[in-house]
Amino acid sequence: MQKINNIINNYTPKQLKLPIEIKKIIDFSDPVYSFCEIVDEMDLSPFFVVKGYKTGRPRYSYTKLLKIILFSFMENGYFSLREIEKSCKTDIRYMWLLDDMKAPSFATIGNFIRNNLTNTIENIFVEINKVIFQKEKVDLDHTYIDGTKIEANANKYSWVWKKSCIKNRDKTFEKVSEIIDIINVEDLELMNVKIEKRSEYTIEYLEQILEKYREICCIDVEKFVHGKGVRKTNYQRKYEKLSEYIEKLKKYAKHIEICGEKRNSYSKTDNSATFMRIKRDYMGNDQLLPAYNMQVAVCDEYIATVDVKQYASDMDCFVPLMEKFNKEYGKYPKYPVADAGYGSFNNYIYCEKNNMQKFMKFTMFEKETKDEKYINDPYRAVNFKHDDEGNLICPNKRKFKLKYTQPVKGNKYGRTEEVFECEDCNDCKYKNDCCPKAKNNRTIRINRELTSMHEEVLRNLCSIHGALLCMNRSIQAEGTYGIIKNDKAYKRIKRRGMDNVILELTLISCGFNLCKYHNKKMRIEKCA
């Protein structure tokens, strides 16, 4: 008879092993140590006001929540809330940052970001930069500026065009005038009452007209008929038509108000997004896509300032970016270096007012420096000679006399331009080369102040110092976007609304600077 051993195994092969301290398991070159080196030096208490609750569960530590969020953006560029939650449960580094605190859910992390970081993230970004800049001795005088369009989280075919709304609104005004004419002739003429017509109508005025028409003609709205097989009265048709026009005008007024003065379009699914032309045109038909204009000021490879605008022109983004830079660091950069999208009269005057050197290219910079045919063109107004009286002399030795001086439209610094006209272009043998499209005498516009500024910019950028700055700008500013958009695969904004977009891009900038600090630190240790 075989003996049966009934033995109960009261053990598990996966026993607890030393070391118990998590820190000793993490590799010494892990980015979490560089992260803690920066964040632990910051005083985060001013950014979070903790309310005292006598009942309920203990609250999660705001400092620890912020740590896991910043560390996730440092490592991944962008990390979703559910991925952060998963890392807190499975990644030993996140467990060490939580320091015995229970892993938060994605909802807890999302509520913390929405309620506590929306208004404070920009201040936290500045504090992170101050710690890094002090350790790295970052030079804030040399600033490299660039912008890029990032697609918004909005539907592709959700556009609203401001010009179309204005055009349709004006057409509706005409239709309102027509219906008012009909009401005056058919219904109100016998009562010696007349509704006043206007070229433009306000919503309040039309609502008063509608109410007045209802009272005078004793129209009972409750007795209106609808549906198939019924005949509407003339009063009902006119009343409903006028009501329809009022609703249309309300819709157009809302669209125009959302667009504002500086924008010509917006998206229905993200009202803050503007339709712009993006380099990454996956539609393949050169179509405008909803996007935001991200602006960065880079100093020694770190993002010093990040800003977001709703319009596509980089030229209008320079002044707000520099004002934000000054607000955050208490000074303006001495050498702001930017490409040709930023060079304008307004920006050059702004640089002079704030003691900044002019290192922003202008539109024709490449031709002015590389195209010899364009530079030596004798028919350019810049190459015309002057006589003793100061008049311009063309290659055919004919005078250009000052016709008038006019202000430049849209310029806030009082820029003016001088308009010169040739005394006689008839029978000129150089006309086909000089001005082939001119029907009468050739006219030229000259702004001497802007011309002198362009000459100063050419001197600055063509010097050895300027050439080095241009080279560094292409490496640092454009390289920053290369890392964010290609290396980190961040090519589309995940949140909607201007405040949320600023929050998201600032978090990405925080992660970028922390990652850059760790990589520099590792390179130095490797060389040593």
Short mmCIF file of all heavy atoms in Angstrom, two decimals, residues 464-490:
data_model
loop_
_atom_site.label_atom_id
_atom_site.label_comp_id
_atom_site.label_asym_id
_atom_site.label_seq_id
_atom_site.Cartn_x
_atom_site.Cartn_y
_atom_site.Cartn_z
N ILE A 464 31.36 88.90 -37.45
CA ILE A 464 31.69 87.56 -36.93
C ILE A 464 30.76 87.19 -35.78
O ILE A 464 30.26 86.06 -35.70
CB ILE A 464 33.17 87.52 -36.48
CG1 ILE A 464 34.08 87.76 -37.68
CG2 ILE A 464 33.49 86.19 -35.80
CD1 ILE A 464 35.55 87.86 -37.33
N HIS A 465 30.50 88.16 -34.91
CA HIS A 465 29.59 87.93 -33.78
C HIS A 465 28.19 87.58 -34.29
O HIS A 465 27.54 86.64 -33.81
CB HIS A 465 29.55 89.19 -32.91
CG HIS A 465 28.71 89.03 -31.67
ND1 HIS A 465 28.03 90.07 -31.08
CD2 HIS A 465 28.42 87.93 -30.93
CE1 HIS A 465 27.38 89.63 -30.03
NE2 HIS A 465 27.60 88.33 -29.91
N GLY A 466 27.71 88.32 -35.30
CA GLY A 466 26.38 88.08 -35.85
C GLY A 466 26.28 86.72 -36.53
O GLY A 466 25.27 86.03 -36.41
N ALA A 467 27.34 86.32 -37.24
CA ALA A 467 27.33 85.02 -37.91
C ALA A 467 27.28 83.89 -36.89
O ALA A 467 26.56 82.89 -37.10
CB ALA A 467 28.57 84.88 -38.79
N LEU A 468 28.00 84.03 -35.78
CA LEU A 468 27.96 83.01 -34.73
C LEU A 468 26.58 82.94 -34.08
O LEU A 468 26.08 81.85 -33.77
CB LEU A 468 29.03 83.31 -33.68
CG LEU A 468 30.49 83.11 -34.11
CD1 LEU A 468 31.44 83.62 -33.04
CD2 LEU A 468 30.76 81.63 -34.39
N LEU A 469 25.97 84.11 -33.88
CA LEU A 469 24.63 84.13 -33.28
C LEU A 469 23.60 83.48 -34.20
O LEU A 469 22.71 82.75 -33.74
CB LEU A 469 24.22 85.57 -32.95
CG LEU A 469 24.98 86.26 -31.81
CD1 LEU A 469 24.44 87.67 -31.59
CD2 LEU A 469 24.87 85.46 -30.52
N CYS A 470 23.69 83.75 -35.50
CA CYS A 470 22.77 83.13 -36.46
C CYS A 470 22.93 81.61 -36.48
O CYS A 470 21.94 80.87 -36.55
CB CYS A 470 23.00 83.71 -37.85
SG CYS A 470 22.38 85.38 -38.07
N MET A 471 24.18 81.18 -36.42
CA MET A 471 24.44 79.74 -36.41
C MET A 471 23.87 79.10 -35.14
O MET A 471 23.23 78.05 -35.18
CB MET A 471 25.94 79.48 -36.50
CG MET A 471 26.32 78.01 -36.50
SD MET A 471 28.10 77.76 -36.51
CE MET A 471 28.53 78.39 -34.90
N ASN A 472 24.06 79.78 -34.00
CA ASN A 472 23.55 79.26 -32.74
C ASN A 472 22.02 79.26 -32.72
O ASN A 472 21.41 78.36 -32.13
CB ASN A 472 24.07 80.11 -31.57
CG ASN A 472 25.35 79.54 -31.00
OD1 ASN A 472 25.45 78.35 -30.77
ND2 ASN A 472 26.33 80.39 -30.81
N ARG A 473 21.41 80.24 -33.36
CA ARG A 473 19.94 80.29 -33.38
C ARG A 473 19.38 79.08 -34.12
O ARG A 473 18.42 78.44 -33.67
CB ARG A 473 19.44 81.58 -34.05
CG ARG A 473 17.96 81.85 -33.84
CD ARG A 473 17.37 82.67 -34.95
NE ARG A 473 17.29 81.94 -36.19
CZ ARG A 473 16.30 81.12 -36.51
NH1 ARG A 473 15.30 80.92 -35.67
NH2 ARG A 473 16.30 80.48 -37.66
N SER A 474 19.99 78.75 -35.26
CA SER A 474 19.50 77.60 -36.02
C SER A 474 19.71 76.30 -35.26
O SER A 474 18.94 75.35 -35.41
CB SER A 474 20.20 77.54 -37.38
OG SER A 474 21.59 77.36 -37.22
N ILE A 475 20.76 76.25 -34.42
CA ILE A 475 21.02 75.04 -33.64
C ILE A 475 20.09 74.96 -32.43
O ILE A 475 19.45 73.93 -32.18
CB ILE A 475 22.49 74.99 -33.19
CG1 ILE A 475 23.42 74.86 -34.40
CG2 ILE A 475 22.72 73.85 -32.20
CD1 ILE A 475 24.87 75.05 -34.07
N GLN A 476 20.00 76.06 -31.68
CA GLN A 476 19.31 76.01 -30.40
C GLN A 476 17.80 76.17 -30.52
O GLN A 476 17.02 75.35 -30.03
CB GLN A 476 19.88 77.08 -29.47
CG GLN A 476 21.33 76.85 -29.13
CD GLN A 476 21.82 77.74 -28.01
OE1 GLN A 476 21.07 78.16 -27.16
NE2 GLN A 476 23.11 78.05 -28.03
N ALA A 477 17.36 77.24 -31.20
CA ALA A 477 15.92 77.51 -31.27
C ALA A 477 15.21 76.46 -32.13
O ALA A 477 14.22 75.85 -31.71
CB ALA A 477 15.67 78.91 -31.82
N GLU A 478 15.73 76.22 -33.33
CA GLU A 478 15.10 75.22 -34.20
C GLU A 478 15.35 73.81 -33.69
O GLU A 478 14.51 72.92 -33.87
CB GLU A 478 15.62 75.39 -35.63
CG GLU A 478 15.21 76.72 -36.26
CD GLU A 478 15.76 76.89 -37.67
OE1 GLU A 478 16.27 75.90 -38.22
OE2 GLU A 478 15.67 78.01 -38.20
N GLY A 479 16.49 73.60 -33.03
CA GLY A 479 16.75 72.29 -32.42
C GLY A 479 15.80 71.97 -31.29
O GLY A 479 15.46 70.81 -31.06
N THR A 480 15.35 73.02 -30.58
CA THR A 480 14.37 72.82 -29.50
C THR A 480 13.08 72.22 -30.05
O THR A 480 12.53 71.26 -29.50
CB THR A 480 14.08 74.16 -28.81
OG1 THR A 480 15.29 74.65 -28.21
CG2 THR A 480 13.02 74.00 -27.74
N TYR A 481 12.59 72.79 -31.16
CA TYR A 481 11.37 72.26 -31.77
C TYR A 481 11.61 70.87 -32.37
O TYR A 481 10.69 70.04 -32.40
CB TYR A 481 10.87 73.21 -32.86
CG TYR A 481 10.27 74.48 -32.30
CD1 TYR A 481 10.70 75.73 -32.74
CD2 TYR A 481 9.28 74.44 -31.33
CE1 TYR A 481 10.15 76.89 -32.24
CE2 TYR A 481 8.73 75.59 -30.82
CZ TYR A 481 9.17 76.82 -31.27
OH TYR A 481 8.62 77.97 -30.76
N GLY A 482 12.83 70.62 -32.85
CA GLY A 482 13.14 69.29 -33.37
C GLY A 482 13.02 68.23 -32.29
O GLY A 482 12.50 67.13 -32.54
N ILE A 483 13.50 68.54 -31.08
CA ILE A 483 13.41 67.59 -29.97
C ILE A 483 11.96 67.39 -29.55
O ILE A 483 11.49 66.26 -29.37
CB ILE A 483 14.27 68.07 -28.78
CG1 ILE A 483 15.75 68.04 -29.15
CG2 ILE A 483 14.01 67.22 -27.54
CD1 ILE A 483 16.65 68.71 -28.14
N ILE A 484 11.21 68.50 -29.42
CA ILE A 484 9.83 68.42 -28.92
C ILE A 484 8.93 67.70 -29.93
O ILE A 484 8.16 66.81 -29.58
CB ILE A 484 9.29 69.82 -28.61
CG1 ILE A 484 10.02 70.42 -27.40
CG2 ILE A 484 7.79 69.79 -28.34
CD1 ILE A 484 9.67 71.86 -27.11
N LYS A 485 9.05 68.08 -31.21
CA LYS A 485 8.09 67.59 -32.20
C LYS A 485 8.48 66.25 -32.82
O LYS A 485 7.61 65.46 -33.19
CB LYS A 485 7.92 68.64 -33.31
CG LYS A 485 7.34 69.95 -32.80
CD LYS A 485 7.26 71.01 -33.87
CE LYS A 485 6.08 70.84 -34.77
NZ LYS A 485 5.88 71.99 -35.68
N ASN A 486 9.78 65.99 -32.95
CA ASN A 486 10.22 64.74 -33.60
C ASN A 486 10.72 63.70 -32.59
O ASN A 486 10.24 62.57 -32.58
CB ASN A 486 11.30 65.03 -34.64
CG ASN A 486 10.75 65.82 -35.82
OD1 ASN A 486 9.69 65.52 -36.34
ND2 ASN A 486 11.47 66.84 -36.23
N ASP A 487 11.67 64.10 -31.75
CA ASP A 487 12.21 63.13 -30.78
C ASP A 487 11.14 62.70 -29.77
O ASP A 487 11.05 61.53 -29.41
CB ASP A 487 13.42 63.73 -30.05
CG ASP A 487 14.58 63.99 -30.99
OD1 ASP A 487 14.44 63.63 -32.18
OD2 ASP A 487 15.60 64.55 -30.56
N LYS A 488 10.36 63.67 -29.28
CA LYS A 488 9.31 63.37 -28.29
C LYS A 488 7.96 63.09 -28.94
O LYS A 488 6.98 62.81 -28.24
CB LYS A 488 9.17 64.53 -27.31
CG LYS A 488 10.45 64.87 -26.54
CD LYS A 488 10.86 63.76 -25.61
CE LYS A 488 12.07 64.16 -24.77
NZ LYS A 488 12.49 63.07 -23.86
N ALA A 489 7.88 63.21 -30.28
CA ALA A 489 6.66 62.89 -31.04
C ALA A 489 5.46 63.70 -30.58
O ALA A 489 4.34 63.19 -30.54
CB ALA A 489 6.36 61.40 -30.96
N TYR A 490 5.69 64.96 -30.23
CA TYR A 490 4.58 65.83 -29.83
C TYR A 490 4.24 66.73 -31.02
O TYR A 490 4.92 67.73 -31.26
CB TYR A 490 4.98 66.68 -28.61
CG TYR A 490 3.88 67.60 -28.14
CD1 TYR A 490 2.79 67.10 -27.43
CD2 TYR A 490 3.92 68.95 -28.42
CE1 TYR A 490 1.78 67.94 -27.00
CE2 TYR A 490 2.91 69.79 -28.00
CZ TYR A 490 1.85 69.28 -27.29
OH TYR A 490 0.84 70.12 -26.87
#
